[in-house]
Amino acid sequence: MQMPPIDVRTLAQSGAQALRRGDPRTARESFERIVAAGQADASTCLALAHACRALDEHAAAHAAVDKALALEPRNLRALILKADHLAAEGDKRTASSFYQAAVRIAPPAHELPAELRGELGRAQSMCTRYAAEYEAFLRNRVGRGLEERASTKRFRHSLDILFGKRQIYFQQPQYFFFPGLPQIQFYDRNDFPWLDRVEAATADIRAELIEVMKDQSVFKPYVQGDPGRRPQGGDRGMLNNPDWSAFYLWKDGEIVPENAARCPRTLDALADVPAPRVRNRSPSVLFSLLRPGAHIPPHNGLVNTRLICHLPLIVPPKCAFRVGNDTFAPVEGKAWVFDDTMEHEAWNGSDRARVILLFETWRPELTDEERGLVTAMFDAIDAYSGDKPAWEI
């Protein structure tokens, strides 16, 4: 039997008026006629859902919201109303997924109608509430005592990632990537026993540094470039910027004789370091100076076949260093080893210079054969190009 034609616009207006005057039954009848005629859009389905909800007809309301989402999967009002229905039914986990979907796809707040901004804010609050409840439950069930055991550090970090407290950072070298290596931001200090000798020489190294610093003109910008060989604009203000400067004892695989002669105790302290020996590239050993108020922007190193070592020598207050998720204040004489192909940055918020000794070591996971192959590969690259590479540690 063919249904008689209907006036969709009149029925929609009638239903909306009935809702406003508090007559959900009449409103439902108007919207149901539009749906039955197969002429309902998402807004009609949502209006029907509101009418059914006012009548405590929850199954019908839920079905109307599902129909609205079938017509417009990214409809913010439908997503939030769907989440509200699920929350009322006690299904917090699924409700959270719909609230999150609404928050994730929403345009900037200033582009939304005022009433929808309020609804979106409520959705965000519900996301925060459910996330806190979920985290508290899991930590109570599996997280008791984890902070007390070093053996659970990686698992604790996995929980932090699960709860959005930590981001996932991966190696992103600018030049060469060696696959299959662990994604570790800061390495365990105890894995590098040769650091004992380096740290023990802190006072001698600092004394040589202080002599060098009597003429700060010997410090040159850490990031330097030849416009003819290096594209400009990708260094976020650090190219040829003296705020981040260096005094090299070794640079790009070659000793700097006049500088090394001034710092014999420093080089002696590094004698046990398994540094890469790669012509035109490694090792590099330098005093890295960050001037007052300076910020080294987030960046990634060149290759993941080596690690970077820092020995803080002069560290005024308000200095910080971040690799991936972990930020800390350097302590004079306490060295650390990190993967510089992970995003990292540094700050000097003081009114004095911050200086560290910076040097390289092979990644301990590489075998001797692999180290030899990497070295040979870089030699081959240079032989092919015929030029010395543009290379900052």
Side-chain angles (χ1 to χ4, degrees), residues 167-174 183-186 236 295-301 321-327 338-347:
Q167 296 183 51
I168 300 175
Y169 287 94
F170 293 112
Q171 298 160 3
Q172 292 183 305
Q174 298 180 42
Q183 307 286 333
I184 300 173
Q185 295 167 182
F186 285 101
R236 285 166 286 185
H295 170 220
I296 301 173
H299 63 287
N300 300 76
F321 186 78
R322 177 184 72 85
V323 180
N325 290 287
D326 299 321
T327 302
F338 71 101
D339 182 347
D340 76 325
T341 65
M342 301 277 198
E343 183 184 271
H344 59 288
E345 62 185 314
W347 302 264

Side-chain angles (χ1 to χ4, degrees), residues 9-28 30-31 47 51:
R9 183 175 180 181
T10 299
L11 282 172
Q13 290 177 340
S14 174
Q17 290 169 357
L19 273 181
R20 283 195 293 270
R21 68 173 180 262
D23 184 2
R25 191 171 301 280
T26 298
R28 184 195 63 187
S30 295
F31 297 131

Side-chain angles (χ1 to χ4, degrees), residues 99-254:
Y99 284 130
Q100 288 174 8
V103 170
R104 186 169 56 250
I105 68 172
H110 69 272
E111 297 180 10
L112 295 172
E115 75 279 2
L116 192 50
R117 285 200 298 270
E119 285 294 282
L120 193 65
R122 185 173 62 81
Q124 180 64 70
S125 296
M126 294 300 291
C127 289
T128 302
R129 171 184 162 187
Y130 285 151
E133 291 176 357
Y134 180 51
E135 178 177 353
F137 178 83
L138 284 189
R139 289 195 185 278
N140 184 59
R141 289 289 291 266
V142 301
R144 293 178 180 176
L146 291 180
E147 293 79 4
E148 301 173 6
R149 304 199 303 278
S151 60
T152 63
K153 180 179 179 180
R154 291 191 297 180
F155 179 71
R156 283 186 280 118
H157 285 179
S158 76
L159 289 183
D160 289 340
I161 291 171
L162 178 64
F163 301 136
K165 303 295 179 63
R166 296 173 70 91
Q167 296 183 51
I168 300 175
Y169 287 94
F170 293 112
Q171 298 160 3
Q172 292 183 305
Q174 298 180 42
Y175 193 92
F176 174 71
F177 177 77
F178 194 104
L181 298 174
Q183 307 286 333
I184 300 173
Q185 295 167 182
F186 285 101
Y187 273 68
D188 189 327
R189 162 68 178 76
N190 295 322
D191 292 338
F192 306 94
W194 42 263
L195 276 178
D196 293 342
R197 181 177 176 184
V198 178
E199 290 181 338
T202 297
D204 290 337
I205 297 171
R206 185 189 295 114
E208 291 180 339
L209 165 65
I210 290 172
E211 285 298 314
V212 169
M213 291 181 67
K214 289 179 179 178
D215 177 11
Q216 292 204 14
S217 68
V218 299
F219 282 81
K220 304 300 180 184
Y222 183 92
V223 182
Q224 299 184 48
D226 176 354
R229 295 188 59 206
R230 178 187 181 128
Q232 305 298 294
D235 297 281
R236 285 166 286 185
M238 296 313 299
L239 183 65
N240 299 322
N241 188 339
D243 283 350
W244 183 19
S245 295
F247 179 82
Y248 281 90
L249 310 184
W250 280 76
K251 182 173 173 57
D252 300 340
E254 298 179 1

Side-chain angles (χ1 to χ4, degrees), residues 12-89:
Q13 290 177 340
S14 174
Q17 290 169 357
L19 273 181
R20 283 195 293 270
R21 68 173 180 262
D23 184 2
R25 191 171 301 280
T26 298
R28 184 195 63 187
E29 291 173 356
S30 295
F31 297 131
E32 282 181 337
R33 287 184 63 190
I34 300 174
V35 171
Q39 298 186 54
D41 59 11
S43 62
T44 302
C45 295
L46 283 175
L48 175 59
H50 284 294
C52 292
R53 197 175 186 191
L55 293 167
D56 291 329
E57 296 176 357
H58 298 295
H62 211 146
V65 174
D66 286 343
K67 186 170 181 60
L69 285 171
L71 293 168
E72 291 184 20
R74 295 172 65 86
N75 187 296
L76 290 180
R77 288 185 172 87
L79 287 167
I80 294 172
L81 191 54
K82 172 76 172 180
D84 289 342
H85 283 308
L86 291 164
E89 294 170 358

Side-chain angles (χ1 to χ4, degrees), residues 250-366:
W250 280 76
K251 182 173 173 57
D252 300 340
E254 298 179 1
I255 197 165
V256 184
E258 64 276 17
N259 293 351
R262 300 177 65 177
C263 304
R265 293 181 177 179
T266 299
L267 293 178
D268 180 67
L270 301 178
D272 295 336
V273 177
R277 293 298 177 100
V278 183
R279 187 170 51 187
N280 296 327
R281 289 174 170 81
S282 298
S284 285
V285 178
L286 60 137
F287 293 125
S288 174
L289 184 150
L290 192 60
R291 299 192 187 280
H295 170 220
I296 301 173
H299 63 287
N300 300 76
L302 298 177
V303 297
N304 69 333
T305 50
R306 54 89 193 275
L307 301 173
I308 299 297
C309 312
H310 284 182
L311 175 68
L313 298 170
I314 299 176
V315 184
K318 300 181 181 179
C319 289
F321 186 78
R322 177 184 72 85
V323 180
N325 290 287
D326 299 321
T327 302
F328 69 97
V331 177
E332 293 179 1
K334 299 294 183 181
W336 70 84
V337 180
F338 71 101
D339 182 347
D340 76 325
T341 65
M342 301 277 198
E343 183 184 271
H344 59 288
E345 62 185 314
W347 302 264
N348 180 0
S350 76
D351 58 0
R352 292 184 287 133
R354 183 230 68 180
V355 189
I356 61 171
L357 176 66
L358 188 157
F359 55 99
E360 306 167 79
T361 182
W362 281 111
R363 286 192 73 118
E365 301 89 358
L366 292 179

